[in-house]
Structures are given as structure tokens and as C-alpha cells.
Amino acid sequence: MFKKFFSAIILFAAIFMFSGCDDEESSSNITKVSAQFADTYNADDTWLIYWYICGSNLETENQAATADLSEMVNAQLPPNVKVLIQAGGSNQWHNEVVKPGQINRYLYDSDDMNILEALPDADMGDSATLVDFLKYGKDNFDADHRVFIFWDHGGGSVGGVCQDERTNNMLSLNDIRTAFESVYSPSDENPPFEMIGFDACLMATYDTAHNLHGLTRYMTASEELEPGCGWEYTGWLSELGKNPAMSGARLGQIICDTYFAGCAEYDVEDAATLSVIDVGKIPELRTAYENFSTEALRLSAENPQKFFSSFGRSAVNAENYGGNTRDQGYFDMVDLGDLAKKSKSILPQTSQNLINAVDEAIIYKVQGNYRDQGSGISGFYPYDGGDQIFNMYSQIYAAPLANKCLFYHLIYGTMPEEGKAILNNAQTTEVPKPTQRKKIFKIEDLEDAKIELDQDNNAFVKLNEAQMDLLSSVHCNLVYIDPEDDLILFLGSDSNVNADWETGIFTDNFDGTWPMFEGHPVYVEIVSEADVDEDGNVQGYNLYSVPIKLNGMSCNLQVAYDHKSGKYKILGARRENTSGGMADRNLIKLKSGDQITTIHYAMLISGDSTDITEVEVDTFTIGNNPKFEDEDVGDGEYGYLFEFVTPDNNSATSEVVNFTIQNGEIYTTKLDDLN
């Protein structure tokens, strides 16, 4: 009965979540496709998959859990493979099987999907609810191999997973470890689970994997935000049903491949990631990561400004996940392998060992073309520069103490006693306590930095070594100046600056164009910057976030710029973060007939007020293949500023240079020349 019911609704749910997919040629990149994982077990071995479904607003608004349950019931399972399901955490369920206001337990096996019990409602973001489910599975089902799948929102190392829609509570990494240990005894040689997976965003982190050491052989998760389609349950469950002799490594590979194929089907694979981690390799990875952090800690003690500015540039240029912009919010996750690669010149003793340990631990991964720099596992880096997220990170049991001390030094401006102990080879397990913040980077010294014009009339700033030691990046800001309407309209920030970190000369690269959506100027905020090789050539891609209203709903448009092709690609739109701070999992594909409203920020020219106000500028309707490209901004007066950003995410701007465009010609004037 249940199989028939769910099968009837799967098509509707899929259309609901991914309407508007275009026919644009997709890009894909499956890494390590040649990996072969031999069968490890016997064909008659028994498997039990625990599926912990916290429906949240993903189910209430998008029917996402219902869609995945529908996929599950299309998988043919033999008697020795069973799926134990617990569903809750949502205000509404879009099927007649799962009921709101209670905890629902089901078993899906060769006899169809059957109700086991309905329990009083409970918070799916509470560790006690997880413990109860784990105990139920252990007490009622024998199995040779166990798999556990978390399903819902994810927030990386700090955010955790499974945000109950009714309470906004989530399971932290500490909660998960405590819950599993209360039911199962960890074992390095014989962990109780073959695989623990996260069908959720941002959970392929070092801290997550280390947290699960001794509990599982393998972990499967995504470094980046997952699209709404998530894992493809028909495919991987069917394959396990056909071959119960497979290993957890092979199962993880199949989950990755079917996930990526599903993403490609809905044209949302460009920024998709999924990786399989050999949790047995975590001790070696931990040693390499702690050594890396300790080398960094030692250098930060010697010269904090110089080290953190260089390390910050490495982090800015490394692949990072979840957005990490002021408009989109921060999740503070950086790819661990890419960070190590970008840091080889400043951390020469430990970077390569960390790269090697990451490569050993990641046994399989899939990546879209605009997420192909990642190694498969991320780590914490405080892009936001604040103490709130960092203090939550510092409480994670699995996070390396040296890393906590390193970023404590960056954020609070002092080396903690625990960091001093590490550098003196003393034993300590204490966590640094918050204290009053002190400034390492006095960025106000660069406020209104003087702009000069070179012989070609290009605007530039010249920084000395001490000034560059304040900075992790230099961006350009562009504003439109409208004296008639007494208005300054901000167009956003970009990395399109000719930067020479050797000489300290940063030159404008303004050519009279700016990103436009269907011919309408947009406010852009750079999320990820492309690599620059030793010869100064830009390689790879930039990622941008563009605030818009999509059919009246506040969103951030996700856009990639490919430096090789010189073209932009619209990846989709994500709504603003949930009330609990989780990023929206659904990547909304634009479709013909969508109404777009551009969002900018503005202030008055006259008066003493410096208040900046969000304004809606243009509203238009798009067709089948909307254009996003650099176009001429048109005649008028524009202001250009260099923005100097510190490793702790504070910034200052240079004085303004004026670009007056007349009949396509750009006339550059320094501010002091106007006075």
C-alpha cells in the first residue's frame, strides 16, 4: 500500500522542487572514477540502514522528505536488507503516511513499508531523541552491517545537523558523539557502523569525521550546500539490494555517483560535492592537521600581523563553502587540502604532510565544475572574523586544540595560555576562554588611503610592507553617483584589481563595464576568488552572490564567472537563511516568466547621514535563457574605491576616484583634483 502511494507522488514532488530547469549544457567532474572497491562481505549478510529524517521546513515547504521516501519505495530490497526510519521535526507532511505531531517509525524491507510505532512528539534536534532511536534499532534488529543516515539541514562543524522546525534546535557534533557512545561502544578495529552519512549541507568536515572515529568505518557527506534533490535513494538502495556483499567504501561510491547523476538530471550539479571518507585514516589526518596548526601557531606568536595576513590570503583563495559573505552569511568552512596547498610557502614544514593525509582519507568524491578545487574534506576558518561562531567551534570536542588557539589569537588578539603550553610542548586539554578583544589589525590607518594616477590615467594605491601586513585581500567597490536625485547607489565589490603583493601597487581594472542581469545593473558580492599563478595569470572561476527578489521572495542569486571562457553562468538562487541560521538547501533554478527585482544599497549625497538603505531598483521578467554578463554601465558619474580587508574581516576604503563616462569614453579624476 505505502509503496503504491509514495510512487504516485514522487513525480509531483520532484516537479515542485525543481521546476524551471533549463536545457543549458551541464558541466560535470567525477573525481577518482577509476576507484575500484572490492566486495568485502558475503551475499547473505544482513544490513540495517537507520534513516533519521528531520523533515523541517524542507518537507513543509518543498515536500523534500516525501520525495526521498518516494524514491526509497522504488528500490527493490532482498530480505537481508532493511531500512529503519524515524521521521519527525516538521510542521507538515505531504503524504498520508507520516503524521505531524508525533514521532513516526517505519520499516521498509522486502515486504513493503510498514508502521512500527507512533510515539509522542519529540524534538528531532535533541540528542535524547537520537539516543532513543539508536537504542530501538539495536534492541530490535540484528544486523551484520549497520548504516546511519542523517537527513535535513546541515551547518558544518559549528552548526551541526537536523534542525527541528518547531524548536529550531539542532544536533551538535558533541550531541552526536555522546548519543552514539551511550548506545554503542567505539572500536578502532571493529566500529559498530559500516557507514554514517549526512544527506545534509556542509557536513564533510574534519571535525565531523574525527567525531565519528571508532563509530564507523566510512563517512559520506558534502562539503558544500546540497541541492534540494539530495541523495538518490532508489539508485543506491537498489544497488545495495543487488549486492549485499559490498563494502561501505563501495556503498559510499554508489551514493556519490547516483547523487551526482541526480543533480545533473536537474541541472544543479555545477556546485555539487559529495565525498567518502575512510574514518580509519583520521588519526593520521589528525596528527598532520595538528602539526599544521601548531606550525601556524608558532609563526603567529612570532609576528601575528605578517603571519595572519599571509594565511588569510591563502584562506581567501582556497575553496570555501556555504557563502561566507556579509550579505549571505557565514559558515566558516574552508577546504582543508586546498588551504594546505595555498599555504605551502608560509607553512613549508607541515603543508605537504597535511595534503598527503587528506588524500589518504578521501577515498572517493564527486564535484561540479565550480567546486573542483576541493579535496573532499573541509576545516574551520573564521571568515566572519567574529567571536560568536568561533566560541561555538571552540567547544567542539573533536576540533584540534592548536587550531582553537590559533584562531583565538586571531580573533582576541592575544596568545592564550593553552597556546603557549602547546608551543612549549606542555600537555593541556583546556579550551581558551573568551576575553576582551584586542586589535592586531589597525585597519583605520588605511581609511581614505591616497589614490594616485599613473601615466595611463589608471587609479592606483601604493602600500608599504607594514600596510600589506594588515590585509588578507584588496577588492574594488563601485558606486553610481546621481547628483540630480541626491543619491549614491552601491554596485558591490569585486576582485577585479591588478594586485602586485610584491611591490604593494594595486591598480584599477575598470573598463566601463559591470555585471548585469538582462541588461540591469546588479549589486554583486564576491564569494570565492580565482587562483593567480606565479606569472600573474588568473585561472579557474569566481563565485558571486547577488541579492534579488525572485517572484517577491528575498534570495541570493548564485553566479559563477569562468576566467577561461570569460562567461558567467547562473547556478540558481537560494533563499535567505532559516530562522536558526541554516542556509537554504534548495537551489532554485530560474524559469521563464520569473519576476526579478534587483536589490541595491543607497545613501544620500547631501547631509551628514551615512546611513545605507536597501532599495529595490529594477523589476523585470525573464525569458528562457536570461543573460548575466559584463555590459557597459553607460554615461554618468561613478565612484571607485579600493577596499582593504583584514584577516579578522574588518575593512577600510581608500579615497574615491571619479570615473566620468561620456559617449563611452572614461575620464578619471582624483577627488583632490575636484576641490
Side-chain angles (χ1 to χ4, degrees), residues 472-493:
S472 58
S473 60
V474 176
H475 292 155
C476 63
N477 288 353
L478 188 68
V479 300
Y480 172 67
I481 303 170
D482 187 348
E484 184 175 332
D485 289 334
D486 190 32
L487 190 69
I488 295 176
L489 193 70
F490 292 81
L491 295 175
S493 64

Side-chain angles (χ1 to χ4, degrees), residues 320-393:
N320 64 88
Y321 304 103
N324 295 318
T325 67
R326 295 168 192 174
D327 192 67
Q328 195 169 350
Y330 294 87
F331 288 93
D332 289 350
M333 302 309 305
V334 63
D335 185 82
L336 205 51
D338 202 26
L339 178 63
K341 289 177 183 177
K342 301 296 194 301
S343 302
K344 290 179 76 171
S345 63
I346 58 173
L347 296 171
Q349 297 177 18
T350 58
S351 291
Q352 189 59 53
N353 286 340
L354 179 54
I355 294 167
N356 294 343
V358 166
D359 288 343
E360 284 294 313
I362 307 305
I363 59 172
Y364 195 76
K365 60 181 178 176
V366 292
Q367 301 168 307
N369 272 1
Y370 298 120
R371 276 288 176 252
D372 66 359
Q373 299 302 305
S375 64
I377 191 168
S378 61
F380 180 82
Y381 183 88
Y383 288 102
D384 70 318
D387 56 4
Q388 183 177 3
I389 296 178
F390 167 75
N391 288 333
M392 295 171 66
Y393 170 74

Side-chain angles (χ1 to χ4, degrees), residues 620-642:
F620 54 94
T621 301
I622 61 172
N624 285 323
N625 294 297
K627 292 191 305 180
F628 196 102
E629 57 189 4
D630 290 329
E631 296 187 40
D632 291 337
V633 294
D635 289 357
E637 188 175 345
Y638 298 86
Y640 183 100
L641 309 86
F642 293 96

Side-chain angles (χ1 to χ4, degrees), residues 306-321:
K306 182 173 287 293
F307 172 74
F308 281 124
S309 61
S310 298
F311 194 52
R313 288 169 215 156
S314 299
V316 166
N317 288 314
E319 196 102 287
N320 64 88
Y321 304 103

Side-chain angles (χ1 to χ4, degrees), residues 155 200 202 280 296 300 332 404 519 616:
L202 303 168
S300 78
D332 289 350
K404 296 176 184 179
E616 299 179 8

Side-chain angles (χ1 to χ4, degrees), residues 325-329 523 525 527 544-550 553-559 570-577 584 586-588 590 599 601:
T325 67
R326 295 168 192 174
D327 192 67
Q328 195 169 350
Y523 179 91
E525 192 170 15
V527 175
Y544 295 92
S545 179
V546 180
I548 62 168
K549 283 192 173 179
L550 173 60
M553 178 174 60
S554 295
C555 291
N556 286 289
L557 195 67
Q558 310 295 292
V559 181
I570 298 172
L571 305 181
R574 294 191 191 276
R575 294 178 302 177
E576 294 180 346
N577 293 349
D584 182 42
N586 293 311
L587 183 65
I588 305 169
L590 303 187
I599 304 295
Y601 301 91

Side-chain angles (χ1 to χ4, degrees), residues 552-621:
M553 178 174 60
S554 295
C555 291
N556 286 289
L557 195 67
Q558 310 295 292
V559 181
Y561 178 79
D562 189 319
H563 283 274
K564 184 177 181 180
S565 67
K567 294 181 179 180
Y568 291 92
K569 182 171 183 179
I570 298 172
L571 305 181
R574 294 191 191 276
R575 294 178 302 177
E576 294 180 346
N577 293 349
T578 69
S579 58
M582 292 296 100
D584 182 42
R585 175 167 158 173
N586 293 311
L587 183 65
I588 305 169
K589 299 298 293 185
L590 303 187
K591 63 181 184 300
S592 179
D594 278 341
Q595 187 180 77
I596 307 295
T597 300
T598 59
I599 304 295
H600 289 264
Y601 301 91
M603 62 182 293
L604 297 177
I605 299 174
S606 63
D608 298 327
S609 175
T610 58
D611 291 344
I612 297 175
T613 304
E614 181 181 299
V615 292
E616 299 179 8
V617 178
D618 295 327
T619 297
F620 54 94
T621 301

